[in-house]
Amino acid sequence: MKLIRRKSERGNAMLEFALGFSLLWMLFSGIYQIGYAYYIYDRLTVATANAVQLGSRMAYDTGSPTTFSTALQNMVLYGSETADTYPIVPNLTASNVAVNAHLDANGIPRYVTVNITGYTINALFTSFTLPNKPGATGQYYGQINCSGC
């Protein structure tokens, strides 16, 4: 048997495919963007928590507080106390990592806070800016060295 098609039905399959594919493409790209943003945010959350855990037990030298801050920034950036070539997330720099050792009146840290500031997650079609998140705070239990005393 021969199928008889009317002229008005020509191209319907191509039009339905184009509409259906574009809707599915938007749906899947939106899911990818949100999933990728959560993935990067989770990596940053774990990195800040690991840096605070290291900072709460690390020796603090009152004569050189920048050594303490640099080690914690490197922990967030590279997952190690020393600088490496590739950060754990793309485009993360030391200027995005804020380290604060909350010092008391004697210059001894009581708490350590690490925050990610001004980092932008570049997803597929849009960007998500993290104003002052993620962050972590922990109590300081480390040893105090007084090289400047």
Side-chain angles (χ1 to χ4, degrees):
M1 281 195 138
K2 209 176 194 185
L3 292 174
I4 301 172
R5 294 186 185 194
R6 290 186 261 168
K7 283 186 175 184
S8 64
E9 292 183 10
R10 279 191 177 162
N12 279 351
M14 192 176 351
L15 180 64
E16 289 173 4
F17 173 76
L19 290 174
F21 180 75
S22 60
L23 289 174
L24 283 175
W25 176 257
M26 286 189 285
L27 177 72
F28 288 138
S29 64
I31 290 170
Y32 170 79
Q33 286 185 124
I34 292 172
Y36 181 73
Y38 275 113
Y39 169 73
I40 295 296
Y41 189 84
D42 183 57
R43 288 193 66 144
L44 291 171
T45 302
V46 169
T48 55
N50 288 342
V52 166
Q53 185 178 11
L54 171 70
S56 67
R57 296 183 179 123
M58 191 173 154
Y60 183 84
D61 189 359
T62 57
S64 177
T66 57
T67 306
F68 182 78
S69 297
T70 303
L72 295 185
Q73 283 178 338
N74 287 337
M75 186 68 179
V76 172
L77 290 171
Y78 309 110
S80 171
E81 292 180 53
T82 58
D84 198 1
T85 340
Y86 301 105
I88 60 169
V89 295
N91 303 323
L92 184 65
T93 61
S95 63
N96 297 119
V97 181
V99 176
N100 187 3
H102 301 276
L103 304 177
D104 64 4
N106 299 324
I108 298 171
R110 293 294 173 205
Y111 294 95
V112 177
T113 301
V114 178
N115 286 329
I116 304 296
T117 59
Y119 179 69
T120 301
I121 300 171
N122 294 320
L124 192 60
F125 295 114
T126 188
S127 298
F128 302 98
T129 302
L130 307 176
N132 199 18
K133 296 178 182 178
T137 301
Q139 190 170 1
Y140 183 74
Y141 293 107
Q143 179 180 355
I144 305 295
N145 297 331
C146 188
S147 64
C149 298

